[in-house]
Amino acid sequence: MVTKLLSSFIFTFAILSLVAQEKFSFVFMADVHYHDKNVAPQAMDAAIDTINKLNPDFVMLGGDIIYDGLRRSESETMEQVRLFQDKAASIEAPIYYAIGNHDHFGLYNKEIEANHPLYGKRLYEKYFGSRYYSFDHEGWHFVVLDDMVVTDERKYIGRVDSLQLGWLKHDIEQISDTTPVVIMAHVPLITTLSQWYGGGTNRNHNRLAIENGDEVLKLFKNKNLRLILQGHIHYYEVLQILNQTTVISAPSFSGKWWMGKMNEMEEGFVRITVDEDNDIHTQYIDYEWDGE
């Protein structure tokens, strides 16, 4: 009897030892588009409650934080910023932001002059921080990019500008070639959206994906690029590239701008877990607020 119990214990211990333990976890979400209309306040409360119960190390928010700074007046835009910040204060984990196109103030509102102190990217910089930066966590290196350029016609295109490319080259030169690296940006570097809905030869345009993604990715040629996080397209995809890099386009946190599903997906976000072997595990979370 003792021998059987001992054998069972050894077997159970061996099985448990094969299960990789969690090293850290974080939440990735994009396209919040927050305002106080439709079901947004109730759904946001449910989402925050879900996030806090998951107890992530941090949250990464991949742009389009407010509903629409592109078109709104200054007072409307500032109210959206205030409403979002009031809600976000309930998130118990640190938040790392990226700028989205809807976080550019006044581009489509001709009543806003280009010399306005909050015009374009300046609103984001004042209320959410640097447009591009990096940080480290548990031996991983995280890079956040601003991958939009504002044109003279007051439009945006998906592109990482030359100044930022120079910064990025210097930043990743400071880490070893084996350090796992994560990129977060709003506009996709790589996506299947156009092909999924339009066929295999349908190309992405430069407002759907960035036009110099090859330049960005070449900088990581000899680096350990493990994860690319992107938003913008309200389309959920998880791609495995060359058994090395995982590309995640987040489902829209707000669905169809708080009006139901978009691209066949409910409102949601992604929980990402890194285990002790530095393997990545992803889980789509539909936070299922009570009103649905």
Side-chain angles (χ1 to χ4, degrees):
M1 183 66 174
V2 173
T3 303
K4 288 184 178 179
L5 287 172
L6 183 60
S7 297
S8 177
F9 174 80
I10 292 172
F11 176 78
T12 303
F13 179 81
I15 293 297
L16 290 174
S17 67
L18 293 174
V19 179
Q21 298 299 302
E22 180 181 310
K23 186 175 184 178
F24 67 94
S25 70
F26 64 97
V27 162
F28 172 50
M29 62 195 209
D31 301 281
V32 176
H33 294 286
Y34 193 68
H35 56 43
D36 61 352
K37 307 297 189 295
N38 304 326
V39 300
Q42 306 96 303
M44 188 75 171
D45 286 341
I48 291 173
D49 183 58
T50 301
I51 291 169
N52 288 339
K53 287 177 180 176
L54 292 172
N55 192 31
D57 288 46
F58 52 88
V59 172
M60 300 194 76
L61 201 167
D64 280 2
I65 303 162
I66 59 175
Y67 180 63
D68 190 14
L70 286 168
R71 298 173 176 84
R72 304 302 172 189
S73 68
E74 181 177 354
S75 61
E76 290 174 317
T77 300
M78 292 308 305
E79 178 66 2
Q80 290 175 12
V81 170
R82 183 191 67 78
L83 289 167
F84 171 81
Q85 291 182 330
D86 286 349
K87 287 291 187 185
S90 298
I91 297 176
E92 295 169 358
I95 305 175
Y96 294 96
Y97 294 101
I99 187 173
N101 52 299
H102 286 271
D103 306 319
H104 287 66
F105 174 60
L107 260 63
Y108 297 170
N109 184 347
K110 297 301 174 63
E111 294 181 2
I112 306 297
E113 299 290 341
N115 62 359
H116 189 288
L118 297 178
Y119 176 76
K121 301 174 187 290
R122 294 193 286 268
L123 173 104
Y124 174 90
E125 290 175 310
K126 180 172 181 177
Y127 291 102
F128 299 103
S130 299
R131 294 183 291 110
Y132 53 93
Y133 58 95
S134 64
F135 66 94
D136 298 297
H137 185 78
E138 294 287 351
W140 285 58
H141 189 66
F142 291 78
V143 177
V144 179
L145 299 176
D146 167 13
D147 60 350
M148 285 157 289
V149 171
V150 176
T151 69
D152 292 339
E153 294 77 31
R154 297 176 65 132
K155 298 183 184 298
Y156 69 88
I157 59 173
R159 185 176 182 84
V160 177
D161 62 45
S162 58
L163 182 65
Q164 201 172 161
L165 284 173
W167 169 86
L168 178 59
K169 182 175 185 295
H170 175 75
D171 180 77
I172 61 176
E173 283 175 349
Q174 310 309 306
I175 62 172
S176 74
D177 294 347
T178 58
T179 298
V181 181
V182 179
I183 299 173
M184 178 174 72
H186 183 64
V187 179
L189 280 73
I190 299 166
T191 179
T192 64
L193 177 66
S194 294
Q195 289 75 45
W196 181 255
Y197 287 109
T201 60
N202 199 33
R203 67 184 293 268
N204 295 318
H205 55 74
N206 65 4
R207 288 164 60 82
L208 190 67
I210 69 171
E211 61 186 20
N212 65 334
D214 56 335
E215 286 185 87
V216 175
L217 293 174
K218 280 177 184 176
L219 296 178
F220 293 89
K221 183 177 180 180
N222 297 315
K223 297 295 181 179
N224 186 18
L225 179 59
R226 297 293 308 283
L227 189 58
I228 298 173
L229 306 174
Q230 49 198 31
H232 187 53
I233 53 178
H234 294 221
Y235 171 71
Y236 182 44
E237 63 186 337
V238 181
L239 309 175
Q240 298 289 342
I241 310 295
L242 300 177
N243 199 33
Q244 176 183 346
T245 304
T246 302
V247 180
I248 301 176
S249 298
S252 171
F253 190 84
S254 60
K256 191 176 182 180
W257 297 276
W258 306 106
M259 294 182 291
K261 291 183 180 181
M262 182 146 187
N263 289 321
E264 305 168 62
M265 296 296 293
E266 301 279 2
E267 303 94 338
F269 58 84
V270 182
R271 180 178 188 257
I272 299 170
T273 302
V274 176
D275 66 29
E276 288 291 348
D277 297 320
N278 279 334
D279 291 329
I280 296 167
H281 308 273
T282 65
Q283 179 186 9
Y284 163 70
I285 305 288
D286 176 356
Y287 48 81
E288 297 183 358
W289 62 280
D290 291 340
E292 290 190 328

